[in-house]
Amino acid sequence: MSEDKIIDGKAFAAGLRERIGREAARLKAEHGLVPGLAVVLVGENPASQVYVRNKARQTAEAGMRSFEHKLPPETSQDELLNLVEKLNNDPAVNGILVQLPLPDQIAEQAVIDAIDPAKDVDGFHVINVGRLSTGTTGASAPLVPCTPLGCIMLLKNRLGSLSGLNAVVIGRSNIVGKPMAQLLIKESCTVTVAHSRTRDLPAVARAADILVAAVGRPGMIKADWIKPGATVIDVGINRVEGEGGKSRIVGDVDTQAAMAVAGAITPVPGGVGPMTIACLLANTLTAACRQAGIEPPVL
Ligand code: GUN
């Protein structure tokens, strides 16, 4: 295995969190501002509980305030909307994240719609989605979904300019696939969004200089789907049965085999995963600056 082919998201995320921590300290010293992130968890989904715990720890480590709201699984939509309204109006809260998925009695879209777009650090509100797709810049630039933002940072760090490259995104979710495509268009890539109904997916994938896999199927992308030298970004986080009955996490790409063909590849774990929370902290810092009328730092 060639180490220089591996895109070390864990190390990049650690560096990003350090820069965020420095900027947060400067904001406090110069403006008396401590960014605050509220994370809301409804119910007891074990994966969500782990994410929320990690978010709270890393927020505090970056010198920001973390507010955790854990609600029981039977929480009604109105109760959750009331909490969102309270957080919208709380000046100590600069960013709001409601962990998805939500229990069946709550309509996710109604909750996303209720979050103040200026505090929507997930970038899921239609105002932010629209601003991303129209390419709005400056004070009304969008808050961008954390996972695709992390992927773009890793790509630019590895490749420099992405201009003119063929990018194929496999997956069309609102959380990853669609915003990823928008960000790649912004970087002047030629973008194809492929999905479960795409005809001859391997052939489509083989045209990619940049291949982003966000399908949630362990090892689905094989080595012969990859153009020699391509950069592969594996967004998959799939729990599979490992040796001795223990579970382990694998991506959407058959990484070992892909390594022989790809020019560079993100491992799972240690690739895109750690970038998501780091970008959430970056969005919280950006949101706090904008709310205070301060130019956000370039991270
Ligand atoms: N569940 C899985 N990923 C995410 C995410 O990025 N944001 C939220 N709010 N929930 C998630």
Side-chain angles (χ1 to χ4, degrees), residues 39-40 48 51 55 96-102 108 112 115 120-124 145-148 175-176 237 276-277 280:
V39 174
V40 181
S48 292
Y51 287 140
K55 280 169 192 163
I96 302 169
L97 180 145
V98 179
Q99 185 70 29
L100 304 178
L102 288 166
E108 284 182 0
I112 292 167
I115 296 172
D120 168 37
V121 283
D122 262 326
F124 294 165
C146 303
T147 300
I175 295 183
V176 182
I237 299 178
T276 298
I277 298 181
L280 175 67

Side-chain angles (χ1 to χ4, degrees), residues 4-7 155 158-159 165-166 205-211 223-233 257-266:
D4 61 348
K5 285 196 176 187
I6 293 176
I7 299 175
L155 280 167
R158 171 61 66 140
L159 298 173
L165 296 177
N166 278 334
R206 267 193 297 273
D209 304 305
I210 295 169
L211 184 61
D224 66 355
W225 295 30
I226 297 168
K227 177 175 172 175
T231 304
V232 179
I233 304 292
M259 197 83 76
V261 187
I265 186 165
T266 58

Side-chain angles (χ1 to χ4, degrees), residues 6-17 150 154 157-158 265-267 269-276 278:
I6 293 176
I7 299 175
D8 188 346
K10 192 173 170 195
F12 191 92
L16 178 57
R17 289 200 305 274
L154 293 179
N157 183 251
R158 171 61 66 140
I265 186 165
T266 58
V272 173
M275 291 298 291
T276 298

Side-chain angles (χ1 to χ4, degrees), residues 11-294:
F12 191 92
L16 178 57
R17 289 200 305 274
E18 219 177 280
R19 296 195 290 282
I20 292 166
R22 274 202 299 275
E23 292 297 337
R26 202 172 57 83
L27 264 186
K28 189 176 178 185
E30 292 179 8
H31 301 277
L33 179 62
V34 180
L37 171 66
V39 174
V40 181
L41 174 63
V42 184
E44 282 147 12
N45 180 316
S48 292
Q49 284 177 326
V50 174
Y51 287 140
V52 167
R53 209 176 313 130
N54 286 337
K55 280 169 192 163
R57 181 175 48 78
Q58 293 188 23
T59 306
E61 281 172 7
M64 301 193 206
R65 257 184 221 129
S66 164
F67 306 97
E68 261 185 78
H69 295 267
K70 290 188 177 162
L71 305 180
E74 65 276 11
T75 301
S76 72
Q77 182 167 312
D78 279 349
E79 284 171 314
L80 181 55
L81 290 176
N82 283 339
L83 173 59
V84 168
E85 189 56 27
K86 236 176 63 190
L87 298 173
N88 281 342
N89 293 322
D90 184 344
V93 172
N94 304 108
I96 302 169
L97 180 145
V98 179
Q99 185 70 29
L100 304 178
L102 288 166
D104 290 345
Q105 73 275 16
I106 301 176
E108 284 182 0
Q109 197 57 53
V111 176
I112 292 167
D113 288 347
I115 296 172
D116 178 349
K119 297 189 176 184
D120 168 37
V121 283
D122 262 326
F124 294 165
H125 193 285
V126 285
I127 292 276
N128 284 313
V129 175
R131 285 175 174 168
L132 176 60
S133 73
T134 54
T136 313
T137 56
S140 53
L143 288 163
V144 175
C146 303
T147 300
L149 182 58
C151 294
I152 281 286
M153 284 184 188
L154 293 179
L155 280 167
K156 288 169 80 168
N157 183 251
R158 171 61 66 140
L159 298 173
S161 169
L162 311 183
S163 179
L165 296 177
N166 278 334
V168 174
V169 180
I170 310 182
R172 55 177 157 176
S173 71
N174 291 334
I175 295 183
V176 182
K178 286 182 206 163
M180 188 72 224
Q182 292 293 353
L183 287 169
L184 289 162
I185 291 169
K186 194 160 149 248
E187 295 302 323
S188 301
C189 291
T190 303
V191 181
T192 302
V193 180
H195 46 76
S196 54
R197 302 286 177 89
T198 297
R199 290 189 191 157
D200 201 353
L201 188 51
V204 172
R206 267 193 297 273
D209 304 305
I210 295 169
L211 184 61
V212 181
V215 285
R217 285 168 171 253
M220 181 175 119
I221 283 85
K222 307 293 179 199
D224 66 355
W225 295 30
I226 297 168
K227 177 175 172 175
T231 304
V232 179
I233 304 292
D234 189 350
V235 184
I237 299 178
N238 307 294
R239 192 173 286 279
V240 296
E241 192 84 3
E243 272 163 40
K246 276 197 210 151
S247 72
R248 61 190 181 99
I249 302 290
V250 300
D252 292 343
V253 180
D254 181 357
T255 312
Q256 279 307 320
M259 197 83 76
V261 187
I265 186 165
T266 58
V268 179
V272 173
M275 291 298 291
T276 298
I277 298 181
C279 287
L280 175 67
L281 303 182
N283 279 351
T284 304
L285 187 72
T286 300
C289 288
R290 292 215 190 107
Q291 285 158 38
I294 300 164

